[in-house]
Amino acid sequence: MENRLEGDYDYVIVGAGTAGCILANQLSADPSNRVLLLEAGGRDNWIWFHIPVGYLFAIGNPRADWMFRTEAEPGLNGRSLAYPRGKVIGGSSAINAMIAMRGQAADYDHWRQLGLTGWGWSDVLPLFRRMEDHFLGDSEHHGVGGGWRVEPPRIAWQVLTAVQQAAAEMGIPVSPDFNTGDNEGSGYFHVNQKTGRRWSSARGFLKPVLSRTNLRLETGVTVERLLFEGRAVTGLRFRQHGATKSIKARREVILCAGSIGSTQILQRSGIGPGEWLAPLGIEMVHEVKGLGRNLQDHLQQRAIYKVSGVKTLNETYHNLIKRGMMGLEYALLRRGPLTMAPSQLGIFTRSDPSQERPNIQFHVQPLSLDKFGEPLHRFPAITVSACNLRPSSRGVIRLRSADLDAPPIIAPNYLSTDDDRQVAADAIRVTRRLMRQAALERFAPQEYLPGPDVGDDDAALAKAAGDIGTTIFHPVGTAKMGLSSDPYAVVDARLRVHGLCGLRVVDASVMPTITSGNTNTPTSMIAMNGASMIIEDAKAAVA
């Protein structure tokens, strides 16, 4: 049985994640706009969405996570990885690392060099500032009063400070702020928190405006397909609580479901590469060869070092009394290990001196474990993970079948290029050099992974990178922004799908190339820019 969701809406936004919450906030600020926001997950009414360390319980839990997996990856020596994505209002900002990171000015200037007007560093810096409420205050680089709260971490570790000193001994400067356009250096990450609680996009942008009479949120919604009149997208059909419903959009449908979700919806609607859709029995509506291609992600090599004579979280985790004290410290002071982001110390540097700008990022943690979701090790240790910031490998996301509930094919093709294998090998060399510095000698670091038996030649290190490499959950690029002359571009510089009317994609999938750092803050900026463009275009249409 199909029925219409009552009411008419100017804008229908699909996905109440990082981007969708911001779009809903910005578009509904004009009371003449009626905005409908559709979310596949539910409300964030679970304690572990709000205590920062709750990511340990949210990731891998179907209440919060789509539970995707990659295909077996040749570059990872046949391993398949869990591929978490948030399934709740706030999306992945409700379960992610909370690291506030813009990337490098050169990332955005490169987008502008590709012909994408409005996306250079000088264009996007005002957007970053406008959306922020930053603890450093109003300045050339930061803003206050926006919905995106940024604070310093509320815990420090002696062993991590020593790693920062070791980096300085290698010539890597201390950085008090990674978000000025040049993130070279080392420092504790700034985080999306407020007084020790996670600050998701839902908390910052959606919840404060849900009382607006022109904004409606519907949860538990799975979009089946877009609706068309010729080349114009006029609405969509979706499933909610066992019923099939449809909705019309007077102006636009805006997909904010992320690199995986937006790609799936478009492909189910008959938009994408014909050679992928035809075998699934999906009627082609509009061929877009690049949709689902250009997948980029940050792969980290998780090196682990045993240490001695210094505190790590491993010992605390296995001591019931200390764990109880952690909970008490958080309850009373909103401080301590329960406020921790997954990574605390960051280092941005070069994998080799020939690199023009930093191309590897370290996430350093005062803990270790065999794999995510398993208990911490019983010996004191730290994890020193290095990732290639600008990989040249490209993967795909495509439908496995036309079945609405079938998980997609996710094939990132990690380490599939010579360049990426070389950077991975060099990154392990940089890690080893870092851990040999004098500042760390008193802690007697011993390599546990990849292990002292792994040699220093390129082939051995590249294989080791495949053994210990894992995603840091930054899939982007599957609905690439580009000029109409680019045969693989999906959206234009104003985020409109090439060749169609009434349809935009506004999320991480539109990045033509991945940013040099964590991708949640750039996705927020994309939403701010997209909202401005939508408002401008609506005004121009009636002028």
Side-chain angles (χ1 to χ4, degrees):
M1 177 181 177
E2 180 174 335
N3 58 68
R4 286 284 309 279
L5 189 66
E6 67 272 15
D8 293 316
Y9 294 88
D10 297 290
Y11 299 104
V12 177
I13 302 169
V14 179
T18 296
C21 289
I22 294 173
L23 261 293
N25 176 297
Q26 297 291 292
L27 296 181
S28 66
D30 181 346
S32 69
N33 290 333
R34 297 200 71 228
V35 179
L36 175 64
L37 178 61
L38 304 176
E39 166 58 35
R43 299 289 186 119
D44 58 348
N45 52 357
W46 185 36
I47 190 172
W48 295 119
F49 287 132
H50 305 291
I51 297 176
V53 80
Y55 69 89
L56 289 169
F57 307 100
I59 292 176
N61 186 323
R63 176 174 184 170
D65 183 357
W66 280 94
M67 307 290 289
F68 295 130
R69 294 197 68 86
T70 71
E71 301 299 292
E73 284 284 299
L76 302 186
N77 305 319
R79 291 186 300 128
S80 167
L81 301 180
Y83 217 61
R85 294 284 88 196
K87 189 178 183 182
V88 61
I89 62 168
S92 293
S93 75
I95 67 171
N96 71 351
M98 297 164 281
I99 293 172
M101 184 65 58
R102 296 172 179 173
Q104 298 167 4
D107 298 331
Y108 303 99
D109 287 341
H110 174 62
W111 293 4
R112 183 166 55 194
Q113 289 159 9
L114 295 174
L116 300 172
T117 302
W119 293 97
W121 178 248
S122 62
D123 302 306
V124 303
L125 178 57
L127 295 164
F128 281 124
R129 291 183 67 250
R130 181 159 65 91
M131 73 185 190
E132 277 184 342
D133 185 21
H134 205 285
F135 78 98
L136 289 176
D138 192 35
S139 70
E140 172 190 359
H141 301 296
H142 296 295
V144 295
W148 206 231
R149 181 63 184 169
V150 180
E151 294 190 349
R154 298 170 72 84
I155 185 172
W157 296 81
Q158 181 187 5
V159 68
L160 298 189
T161 301
V163 172
Q164 186 176 35
Q165 293 167 348
E169 291 174 349
M170 290 174 58
I172 301 171
V174 171
S175 174
D177 184 0
F178 287 132
N179 287 308
T180 63
D182 177 4
N183 57 15
E184 186 162 16
S186 69
Y188 280 86
F189 289 119
H190 297 162
V191 291
N192 293 123
Q193 294 181 12
K194 187 169 185 178
T195 56
R197 297 187 72 214
R198 175 187 289 274
W199 193 260
S200 70
S201 185
R203 190 174 174 203
F205 293 95
L206 180 60
K207 288 183 174 182
V209 300
L210 272 178
S211 60
R212 290 175 180 168
T213 58
N214 62 327
L215 172 63
R216 177 170 175 170
L217 169 68
E218 289 287 330
T219 59
V221 170
T222 303
V223 174
E224 293 183 353
R225 62 174 294 118
L226 302 170
L227 302 176
F228 298 86
E229 291 181 7
R231 291 291 180 181
V233 173
T234 58
L236 50 83
R237 189 170 69 230
F238 62 92
R239 190 174 65 192
Q240 183 184 38
H241 309 313
T244 300
K245 305 178 182 181
S246 63
I247 188 70
K248 293 282 188 178
R250 288 187 295 215
R251 288 181 176 166
E252 296 188 24
V253 172
I254 307 162
L255 298 184
C256 300
S259 291
I260 299 175
S262 291
T263 300
Q264 290 178 285
I265 292 166
L266 289 167
Q267 291 180 1
R268 280 201 296 266
S269 303
I271 301 170
E275 68 269 26
W276 291 359
L277 302 185
L280 302 181
I282 297 174
E283 181 182 355
M284 177 63 62
V285 174
H286 180 57
E287 182 155 29
V288 181
K289 294 182 180 297
L291 179 66
R293 306 186 197 273
N294 194 49
L295 173 63
Q296 298 157 63
D297 190 14
H298 288 140
L299 182 77
Q300 64 178 352
Q301 286 77 244
R302 289 183 61 253
I304 295 174
Y305 283 79
K306 294 182 178 181
V307 293
S308 59
V310 67
K311 178 183 176 182
T312 75
L313 193 60
N314 288 12
E315 308 94 276
T316 303
Y317 177 86
H318 290 287
N319 185 307
L320 290 179
I321 294 176
K322 290 181 178 179
R323 287 172 70 174
M325 293 299 293
M326 282 168 36
L328 188 62
E329 182 181 16
Y330 183 80
L332 296 178
L333 303 174
R334 290 289 187 266
R335 292 190 176 275
L338 267 66
T339 69
M340 283 172 51
S343 299
Q344 292 74 51
L345 183 74
I347 303 172
F348 290 82
T349 189
R350 295 162 170 80
S351 60
D352 72 85
S354 71
Q355 299 292 328
E356 293 183 359
R357 53 190 170 109
N359 71 316
I360 56 174
Q361 174 184 3
F362 282 91
H363 289 83
V364 191
Q365 306 162 300
L367 55 87
S368 67
L369 67 170
D370 286 330
K371 65 181 181 179
F372 195 85
E374 294 191 357
L376 304 185
H377 291 139
R378 290 190 172 273
F379 50 81
I382 63 173
T383 301
V384 189
S385 297
C387 77
N388 180 356
L389 289 171
R390 294 182 294 279
S392 55
S393 298
R394 297 292 184 268
V396 301
I397 292 176
R398 54 185 292 192
L399 296 182
R400 191 177 303 275
S401 81
D403 180 356
L404 193 62
D405 297 317
I409 295 170
I410 302 173
N413 293 331
Y414 296 120
L415 302 176
S416 59
T417 66
D418 291 340
D419 284 347
D420 285 358
R421 288 189 290 273
Q422 185 65 58
V423 171
D426 288 339
I428 294 175
R429 293 188 178 103
V430 174
T431 306
R432 287 174 165 176
R433 190 161 72 250
L434 175 70
M435 298 306 292
R436 289 196 299 264
Q437 297 301 309
L440 291 167
E441 284 181 358
R442 67 188 187 276
F443 304 136
Q446 295 181 311
E447 185 176 319
Y448 177 76
L449 282 179
D453 294 337
V454 175
D456 194 56
D457 61 285
D458 286 347
L461 291 176
K463 182 183 182 301
D467 288 334
I468 66 174
T470 187
T471 176
I472 46 176
F473 320 134
H474 297 165
V476 308
T478 51
K480 175 186 178 183
M481 179 169 38
L483 301 179
S484 58
S485 56
D486 180 349
Y488 288 97
V490 178
V491 300
D492 66 14
R494 299 188 74 79
L495 308 182
R496 300 169 297 201
V497 174
H498 284 294
L500 295 175
C501 300
L503 177 64
R504 297 195 207 221
V505 182
V506 185
D507 56 32
S509 68
V510 306
M511 293 187 194
T513 51
I514 197 167
T515 53
S516 300
N518 308 72
T519 54
N520 196 54
T521 297
T523 301
S524 305
M525 179 278 297
I526 288 169
M528 292 293 287
N529 210 5
S532 296
M533 291 173 174
I534 291 165
I535 293 167
E536 290 168 4
D537 290 349
K539 289 179 179 177
V542 298

